[in-house]
Amino acid sequence: MAVASRFMCTTLTHHGFSSTTHRTHLGHAQLTLSSRKNQNFHCSVSASDATKTSSVKETIIPWGCDIDSVENASALQKWLSDSGLPAQKMGIERVDVGERGLVALKNIRKGEKLLFVPPSLVITADSEWSSPEAGEVLKRNSVPDWPLIATYLISEASRMKSSRWSNYISALPRQPYSLLYWSQAELDRYLEASQIRERAIERINNVVGTYNDLRLRIFSKYPDLFPEEVFNIDSFIWSFGILFSRLVRLPSMDGKVALVPWADMLNHSCDVGTYLDYDKSSKGIVFTTDRVYQPGEQVFISYGKKSNGELLLSYGFVPREGANPSDSVELALSLEKSDESYEQKSELLKKYGLSESQCFPIQITGWPLELMAYAYLAVSPSSLSGKFEEVSGSLDLDVTSPKQLNRRLFLKQLAVDLCNSERRILFRAQYILRRRVRDMRSGELRALKIFDGFRNLFQ
Ligand SMILES: C[S@@+](CC[C@H](N)C(=O)[O-])C[C@H]1O[C@@H](n2cnc3c(N)ncnc32)[C@H](O)[C@@H]1O
């Protein structure tokens, strides 16, 4: 779960997976990215020109369970303990945060190691296939870890009871909360004000492109091993949805990515700072608590210091407003082409490894020093006074209000939560940034000197 979504993107794109168009049962063809007006200072790129896709259909995957089912979870617990999981201080229960989660059955101390899931109960790219020929074919074709594990999961799931992972797969959600299940129209409409819309579209296109690549290069050549009734875009959307929301990267196993049954029942809390990892001494996957838990309390881990948008993108939830100290929004700044000092400024930016258009993460608590340096540079032309008014005018950050949203559906509520949290950050940033840049009008500032001064601060 701590695995970064970025990992997925690089994995898919690094290995030459092309994105070709394929219409899916979900109404996902190649999704369209387009940007709004080209502004100097802006916070989001959005468009609503691609609303042609149909609404999302429920995809029926013949395995897994309802997202809040604890019945299959009991079978999972039994199978895990029969297969070598040591006695646990936690049990799977229905919970207030995250539908199902792990709840303390006994007192748990701060600093205690929990779980101890042995490597034999973990799914990685090296796991043994029930159909060894299928695994061989993928490895011969150098399929990278993410698509390999996604295909493995489908292959094992389709074997139902005859797979050794059957109890695990039966307890996985049949439809994980995931932006992969949102149609283009929903992304355009509900995430209009958020940059997460672009990230979601890229991600969906990556998954569709990866599936198409596997289909063309491998599945179509071995239809007996990879029949289309099983290995299709719907099953890939499911398996990637599972990977995005459950795969963990284990630093002590050289960053290996793994699905860790049992550990993947832990939900995320922004208040804890404890992560899953392989523990060399106990030879199992563990985490160390950073607080005490009483019996009946839900136990949490951290999925990483992610913004609300990133949490929505990978895990399909948004923490309640103000709860996430790592929440941030990207602010895009760029130099005005018409600035008479444009060349000089872009040379200077290049010297420091920055470009004429630059994105900066801003948080409710502040932003990187570099952002202020960049803003000062951008608004400090050689003819200082004449330009200030103009540039601070362009500091009207484009904070588009989401439309009056229909709250009937859960996903729409998520979008509202996300927009609110991002808007809160942007409004505050806009206020402070405008004031600071306006203050400069009264000063005798030398743009390049100031920029150099700021650079010195963070070098
Ligand atoms: C690794 S799984 C955790 C187990 C999951 N609750 C289950 O029942 O299978 C990650 C998923 O749990 C849910 N989740 C985790 N933390 C959450 C939180 N703080 N708030 C809401 N949902 C959460 C999300 O649906 C997420 O995609």
Side-chain angles (χ1 to χ4, degrees):
M1 287 144 281
V3 79
S5 46
R6 226 159 264 159
F7 181 86
M8 156 73 180
C9 296
T10 45
T11 309
L12 291 181
T13 46
H14 267 168
H15 293 81
F17 282 106
S18 59
S19 292
T20 44
T21 304
H22 181 82
R23 184 159 292 281
T24 79
H25 298 173
L26 295 164
H28 283 145
Q30 196 69 21
L31 300 195
T32 325
L33 269 177
S34 48
S35 55
R36 214 196 279 167
K37 56 196 169 190
N38 197 5
Q39 291 173 311
N40 225 10
F41 284 72
H42 56 101
C43 67
S44 69
V45 183
S46 98
S48 52
D49 63 342
T51 48
K52 297 155 209 124
T53 41
S54 59
S55 60
V56 176
K57 280 187 201 160
E58 286 284 306
T59 310
I60 306 300
I61 293 289
W63 49 76
C65 64
D66 290 342
I67 203 146
D68 60 350
S69 161
V70 286
E71 288 71 39
N72 294 8
S74 316
L76 170 69
Q77 283 189 76
K78 182 171 179 334
W79 168 71
L80 286 169
S81 44
D82 292 348
S83 311
L85 185 77
Q88 297 286 312
K89 284 191 164 179
M90 299 172 294
I92 300 177
E93 287 181 18
R94 263 203 197 106
V95 286
D96 292 340
V97 175
E99 318 265 353
R100 301 173 302 180
L102 293 188
V103 170
L105 301 174
K106 301 180 171 171
N107 285 313
I108 294 174
R109 281 175 287 109
K110 182 178 174 182
E112 199 172 332
K113 273 186 197 164
L114 294 174
L115 298 175
F116 304 98
V117 182
S120 58
L121 289 178
V122 165
I123 295 178
T124 68
D126 303 323
S127 292
E128 234 172 76
W129 290 62
S130 296
S131 158
E133 306 92 309
E136 276 306 305
V137 168
L138 293 196
K139 284 178 188 162
R140 244 194 346 264
N141 281 277
S142 311
V143 174
D145 288 358
W146 273 74
L148 186 92
I149 299 174
T151 314
Y152 179 84
L153 199 57
I154 298 169
S155 172
E156 294 298 319
S158 68
R159 295 185 164 253
M160 303 293 200
K161 289 272 171 225
S162 67
S163 164
R164 69 170 290 232
W165 302 108
S166 126
N167 284 296
Y168 173 57
I169 292 167
S170 303
L172 290 175
R174 193 175 295 127
Q175 195 184 93
Y177 291 133
S178 171
L179 292 193
L180 295 179
Y181 285 99
W182 292 32
S183 69
Q184 169 116 34
E186 284 164 338
L187 292 169
D188 285 346
R189 180 160 182 214
Y190 299 114
L191 296 182
E192 187 189 15
S194 173
Q195 289 174 339
I196 290 305
R197 173 187 159 274
E198 280 182 50
R199 300 262 304 272
I201 290 175
E202 257 172 48
R203 183 169 282 189
I204 291 166
N205 286 341
N206 253 333
V207 170
V208 173
T210 298
Y211 164 70
N212 279 329
D213 179 73
L214 290 172
R215 189 171 54 97
L216 289 175
R217 277 194 316 125
I218 303 172
F219 300 164
S220 59
K221 296 196 181 119
Y222 303 92
D224 295 343
L225 294 177
F226 304 103
E228 195 163 357
E229 309 86 82
V230 174
F231 298 89
N232 50 51
I233 188 63
D234 292 333
S235 54
F236 269 83
I237 294 276
W238 171 79
S239 61
F240 273 108
I242 294 291
L243 298 196
F244 282 124
S245 57
R246 304 181 97 87
L247 204 68
V248 279
R249 199 171 60 80
L250 301 167
S252 301
M253 281 183 133
D254 298 328
K256 200 176 232 190
V257 285
L259 283 171
V260 188
W262 186 248
D264 69 356
M265 285 293 170
L266 284 160
N267 290 318
H268 167 86
S269 165
C270 302
D271 299 331
V272 305
T274 175
Y275 304 89
L276 295 170
D277 198 4
Y278 178 68
D279 177 45
K280 288 183 179 147
S281 58
S282 60
K283 298 194 170 40
I285 314 297
V286 303
F287 76 98
T288 308
T289 55
D290 62 358
R291 46 157 294 191
V292 295
Y293 291 96
Q294 312 288 339
E297 267 190 277
Q298 181 174 187
V299 179
F300 292 100
I301 55 164
S302 170
Y303 294 175
K305 290 190 162 105
K306 294 182 161 64
S307 68
N308 286 359
E310 283 167 328
L311 288 170
L312 177 62
L313 184 65
S314 292
Y315 305 97
F317 71 90
V318 176
R320 87 193 133 65
E321 201 179 338
N324 182 3
S326 307
D327 195 16
S328 71
V329 186
E330 295 227 310
L331 180 72
L333 302 180
S334 46
L335 287 184
E336 186 79 87
K337 277 254 165 58
S338 59
D339 187 336
E340 52 189 64
S341 315
Y342 183 83
E343 292 301 327
Q344 198 185 0
K345 289 179 181 179
S346 49
E347 276 307 305
L348 189 66
L349 288 171
K350 260 191 217 122
K351 195 170 134 198
Y352 293 111
L354 299 171
S355 66
E356 293 87 359
S357 296
Q358 196 69 44
C359 278
F360 296 95
I362 51 171
Q363 296 190 305
I364 199 73
T365 47
W367 47 55
L369 263 180
E370 262 169 321
L371 165 61
M372 274 326 284
Y374 195 108
Y376 278 133
L377 180 73
V379 299
S380 302
S382 36
S383 51
L384 208 64
S385 54
K387 287 273 175 182
F388 269 20
E389 196 73 53
E390 187 187 318
V391 182
S392 64
S394 68
L395 269 173
D396 279 327
L397 300 182
D398 178 16
V399 185
T400 313
S401 299
K403 295 186 184 119
Q404 193 49 41
L405 299 179
N406 178 344
R407 290 173 182 249
R408 264 180 314 152
L409 293 177
F410 174 65
L411 88 166
K412 295 177 186 169
Q413 181 58 51
L414 285 173
V416 177
D417 292 346
L418 179 70
C419 289
N420 283 341
S421 76
E422 294 192 339
R423 215 161 37 147
R424 189 164 149 254
I425 296 174
L426 287 169
F427 275 139
R428 188 174 177 278
Q430 170 183 320
Y431 175 72
I432 299 174
L433 201 52
R434 287 185 73 167
R435 250 193 15 204
R436 296 240 185 123
V437 173
R438 223 182 256 145
D439 288 347
M440 290 175 58
R441 257 186 258 149
S442 52
E444 299 226 343
L445 303 173
R446 297 254 183 288
L448 307 186
K449 253 190 168 173
I450 291 166
F451 187 72
D452 268 341
F454 270 104
R455 292 303 317 190
N456 292 339
L457 271 176
F458 46 78
Q459 261 175 2

